[in-house]
Amino acid sequence: MSEAPAPTNFIIEAVEEDLKNGRFNTVTTRFPPEPNGYLHIGHAKAISIDFGIAQKFGGKTNLRYDDTNPVKEDIEFVDAIKEDIHWLGFDWGDREYYASDYFDQLYQWAVQLIQQGDAYIDDLSPEEIRSYRGTLTEPGKNSPFRDRSIEENLDLFHRMSSGEFPDGTRVLRAKIDMSSGNINMRDPVMYRILHATHHRTGDKWCIYPMYDFAHGQSDSLEGVTYSLCDLAYEAHRPLYDWFIEKLGIFHPRQIEFSRLNMTYTILSKRFLKTLVEKGYVNGWDDPRMPTITGMRRRGYTPEAVLNFIEKAGVAKNESIADISLLEFCVRDHLNKIAPRVMGVINPLKLVIDNYPDDLCEELEAVNNPEDETAGSRKIPFSKNLFIEKDDFMEEPTRKYFRLSPGQEVRLRYGYYVKCTGFVKDQNGEILEVHCTYDPLTRGGFSPDGRKVKGTIHWVSEAKALDAEVRIYDRLFNRPDPDNFEEGKTFLDNLNADSLKIIQKCKVEPSLISTKPGDHFQFERLGYFCTDLDSSPDHLVFNQTVGLRDTWAKMNQ
RNA sequence: UGGGGAUUGGUCUAAUGGUAGGACAGCUGACUCUGGAUCAGCUGGUAGGGGUUCGAAUCCUCUAUCCCCAGCCA
């Protein structure tokens, strides 16, 4: 295995530069989720970068919930977020913080800015504020309340915070520049009145800081050196810096990178929420969802997800990663770790006419050819077996080298069998296939050295376990699902066949003891994992991803 | 027509004035008790025009295209 080049990117280079010239001498980052939804693979990229940069430079990463909007946030998501970060393999130690921990300090800093003449209370209505703001091409104009005295501003701010005014009647604004080309600098709102109960501070506050007035200062308070975020915040950086400078506090560096996008996938929180709430999927952890919890249930491994993120790279180009790269990473990891088992998804009965009626042999099967330490197991073999429907063709096409009349194939780890006939019902449906076996080929080798081109999987009819198998396909039927025609929505791009549930699949008996989350390769089919719904009475497997299938490709 | 970003094969990403390279995808072939894996090979790229230079993806300049910003969301 060749040594991969040490991954580098523009953020790592910036950090190295800062460390070299003394701008900082330690590295601290933070992952700042808003507790208003489940984490998805886009967050996994942010997590990987935040924790990865710190690890690389021997620094630390804080987990900080950005909980400045009680109307949208909920405690429900806090624990789920922690579980997902841990699953990815990262840990923040005891540094679990909340922006709401800093509300008192933030209030003090707001007072400071008022005293410095850098902030004022505005009585304009939300609509008026919008119209005074100007447009992208026209400058805004000053609010008539912009030049109130410091005393009046202080008094009003105090009364705002003590609940004297209803929601929406006043805000605290930074006094910057209403004619700035950067709209974020046109006297941005710092505090709004929200008579809402906060999941942590309860009813203590009825004014809450805006993101811009909370995020940078929270970073500063925590000694965060690198505030890594997505490109959307690039236009906010001047404001981030402005507050820090005016307050005269520790100055972290914000660096922006492009967010992750993926083909056939939608990552907008709003859209994901619609999928869940309108029942297009079965919850946030539906294996078709790009959520971390969904991918976990699907059987993706953290190693695979992280490797995908690393391979996709970190840059400032807006890009769309090919979902096949993710699938490659999943197969690549599962190939190394997943025990092989035999399972038949669409069973077809195979009768070995010359095999003793009541004999049941135990044949040895390798657990993982990629991993010698995985050992082997015994699987029962008998006269009546199940094979895959696809593995028999009455009239074989060119280059089909599975079972067909007169053809000989190997039953994996079993015997060579030669097809002698088959039985059809009135509708022409094949009910069972008959064959004879060569007793000398036990284990799958022929003493005379003759070759068979095909090897197929099978399970013993008598010993097989029934299982439910859920096969997933892409949730959307086009690579750019948020591209839809007028009058339509992303929902019109949903793939109607993204879930197939198949009952009465047949799997080898060793699977009786499987537990949810176990990974397997069903030989010749794909990687599967045991679903949360699975029990010994009713086995349920999710197809994580199919094996590469060059045969299917040839037949396209 | 304001401000801020970005443009390298189908996709993602390197090359930091000196041979445009890697990964995924695709295509060949070898090997194989998984039509898997593995191995070998192939196809295909610097948005466009000028300029500087012995030499430009890289520097300058003009143009084009795309993205973000007008929440009391984050």
Side-chain angles (χ1 to χ4, degrees):
Chain A
M1 193 176 242
S2 69
E3 199 60 36
T8 189
N9 58 56
F10 76 101
I11 300 176
I12 291 172
E13 287 170 7
V15 173
E16 282 169 344
E17 182 69 18
D18 287 347
L19 257 19
K20 202 166 74 183
N21 66 28
R23 175 168 176 168
F24 300 116
N25 46 42
T26 57
V27 172
T28 302
T29 60
R30 100 274 89 114
F31 174 63
E34 183 186 18
N36 72 343
Y38 283 79
L39 263 26
H40 55 63
I41 191 158
H43 295 106
K45 173 175 179 177
I47 290 167
S48 165
I49 291 172
D50 290 334
F51 282 89
I53 289 280
Q55 271 172 10
K56 185 175 181 71
F57 293 96
K60 292 180 170 171
T61 302
N62 301 342
L63 170 60
R64 184 180 69 240
Y65 289 96
D66 235 328
D67 56 349
T68 57
N69 187 351
V71 178
K72 290 194 170 177
E73 294 146 10
D74 204 302
I75 188 84
E76 166 199 353
F77 299 108
V78 168
D79 290 333
I81 287 170
K82 288 191 231 180
E83 186 185 356
D84 288 346
I85 302 171
H86 273 147
W87 178 76
L88 282 171
F90 297 107
D91 189 64
W92 52 91
D94 58 356
R95 297 175 308 287
E96 176 184 328
Y97 303 130
Y98 294 79
S100 56
D101 292 343
Y102 312 135
F103 282 173
D104 286 296
Q105 177 62 262
L106 258 9
Y107 183 86
Q108 289 308 315
W109 277 332
V111 168
Q112 181 187 334
L113 291 186
I114 293 171
Q115 285 169 335
Q116 289 173 193
D118 289 322
Y120 63 97
I121 302 294
D122 197 345
D123 299 358
L124 254 28
S125 70
E127 297 72 36
E128 289 167 323
I129 286 185
R130 196 189 321 128
S131 78
Y132 273 66
R133 186 148 35 219
T135 69
L136 293 178
T137 52
E138 298 162 301
K141 58 184 184 194
N142 289 350
S143 163
F145 302 97
R146 198 174 198 259
D147 292 313
R148 294 219 245 231
S149 70
I150 289 172
E151 291 66 32
E152 189 183 3
N153 280 320
L154 248 18
D155 175 58
L156 253 15
F157 188 49
H158 179 72
R159 287 161 63 193
M160 259 172 74
S161 70
S162 55
E164 205 171 303
F165 311 121
D167 290 4
T169 52
R170 271 173 246 262
V171 289
L172 179 68
R173 294 230 255 169
K175 192 188 284 188
I176 307 179
D177 179 6
M178 289 305 291
S179 66
S180 172
N182 182 347
I183 290 183
N184 300 119
M185 299 299 272
R186 317 238 264 230
D187 290 11
V189 172
M190 295 163 57
Y191 265 96
R192 75 285 215 185
I193 302 171
L194 247 31
H195 289 269
T197 302
H198 187 279
H199 69 99
R200 302 199 91 225
T201 60
D203 294 319
K204 177 176 178 186
W205 299 93
C206 61
I207 59 169
Y208 292 91
M210 297 287 289
Y211 166 85
D212 285 306
F213 191 65
H215 198 90
Q217 289 92 303
S218 301
D219 288 340
S220 181
L221 239 20
E222 293 175 14
V224 165
T225 53
Y226 295 98
S227 191
L228 309 173
C229 58
D230 96 61
L231 253 27
Y233 295 96
E234 214 158 18
H236 292 249
R237 177 151 36 91
L239 181 53
Y240 183 105
D241 293 336
W242 190 89
F243 282 128
I244 296 286
E245 290 300 325
K246 288 292 178 184
L247 258 11
I249 56 179
F250 173 71
H251 198 150
R253 189 211 312 193
Q254 175 178 303
I255 300 177
E256 312 85 10
F257 56 86
S258 64
R259 59 191 300 166
L260 180 73
N261 295 292
M262 210 161 47
T263 55
Y264 297 97
T265 306
I266 238 164
L267 293 180
S268 140
K269 228 177 230 181
R270 196 168 63 86
F271 287 172
L272 293 180
K273 205 168 179 170
T274 301
L275 292 176
V276 173
E277 287 175 355
K278 297 268 173 69
Y280 292 101
V281 296
N282 305 311
W284 289 98
D285 69 343
D286 186 299
R288 292 168 291 179
M289 290 284 275
T291 50
I292 295 182
T293 183
M295 295 189 295
R296 176 165 61 229
R297 186 166 183 176
R298 171 86 170 245
Y300 290 7
T301 60
E303 290 87 343
V305 171
L306 259 13
N307 192 234
F308 161 69
I309 287 165
E310 185 184 308
K311 280 184 147 56
V314 179
K316 294 190 74 154
N317 299 340
E318 302 198 38
S319 56
I320 305 172
D322 196 325
I323 197 168
S324 65
L325 178 60
L326 208 210
E327 291 170 346
F328 165 82
C329 292
V330 171
R331 289 190 188 102
D332 190 46
H333 186 229
L334 258 13
N335 178 46
K336 291 173 191 136
I337 65 155
R340 310 284 118 141
V341 294
M342 293 212 272
V344 174
I345 290 189
N346 295 301
L348 172 63
K349 188 167 176 172
L350 177 71
V351 182
I352 307 172
D353 293 321
N354 62 337
Y355 193 85
D357 285 348
D358 42 14
L359 179 62
C360 181
E361 292 184 82
E362 295 275 307
L363 298 174
E364 179 139 358
V366 172
N367 285 333
N368 186 348
E370 304 291 321
D371 176 10
E372 279 182 26
T373 66
S376 62
R377 68 190 186 288
K378 300 281 191 190
I379 43 179
F381 185 90
S382 51
K383 181 184 182 84
N384 296 318
L385 305 173
F386 289 115
I387 61 170
E388 208 68 60
K389 273 196 177 114
D390 282 351
D391 287 340
F392 174 79
M393 263 186 129
E394 181 183 350
E395 291 167 25
T397 55
R398 216 166 64 84
K399 286 199 172 174
Y400 182 85
F401 37 83
R402 281 112 96 151
L403 254 198
S404 58
Q407 280 299 310
E408 184 172 53
V409 298
R410 169 167 41 231
L411 295 174
R412 178 134 229 222
Y413 301 123
Y415 291 93
Y416 285 17
V417 294
K418 184 177 274 189
C419 178
T420 53
F422 54 91
V423 179
K424 274 186 180 176
D425 67 11
Q426 300 96 319
N427 305 321
E429 180 108 3
I430 293 169
L431 294 177
E432 58 182 52
V433 175
H434 286 260
C435 66
T436 53
Y437 84 118
D438 177 351
L440 298 177
T441 57
R442 189 176 200 267
F445 306 92
S446 73
D448 62 6
R450 75 180 188 276
K451 301 276 187 206
V452 289
K453 277 204 228 145
T455 297
I456 66 175
H457 60 279
W458 52 274
V459 292
S460 158
E461 179 188 45
K463 304 288 178 125
L465 268 19
D466 278 349
E468 171 182 330
V469 171
R470 300 173 182 171
I471 309 272
Y472 303 99
D473 196 357
R474 296 175 176 168
L475 232 198
F476 295 95
N477 53 27
R478 55 183 296 163
D480 52 346
D482 39 15
N483 188 345
F484 41 82
E485 296 161 36
E486 279 225 13
K488 300 203 165 189
T489 74
F490 78 103
L491 295 170
D492 291 294
N493 291 329
L494 241 16
N495 173 9
D497 298 317
S498 60
L499 169 62
K500 285 199 185 75
I501 298 179
I502 306 173
Q503 303 289 353
K504 295 250 157 59
C505 301
K506 303 290 181 181
V507 299
E508 66 170 69
S510 70
L511 254 11
I512 189 66
S513 55
T514 185
K515 299 276 181 299
D518 288 347
H519 301 281
F520 300 99
Q521 184 198 101
F522 285 12
E523 294 229 21
R524 299 208 310 131
L525 296 177
Y527 295 98
F528 291 78
C529 87
T530 312
D531 189 73
L532 258 29
D533 294 339
S534 187
S535 68
D537 295 341
H538 183 73
L539 297 172
V540 181
F541 298 99
N542 295 315
Q543 183 182 61
T544 305
V545 63
L547 248 28
R548 255 184 86 221
D549 191 347
T550 50
W551 168 247
K553 210 169 281 174
M554 277 170 64
N555 289 290
Q556 271 174 14

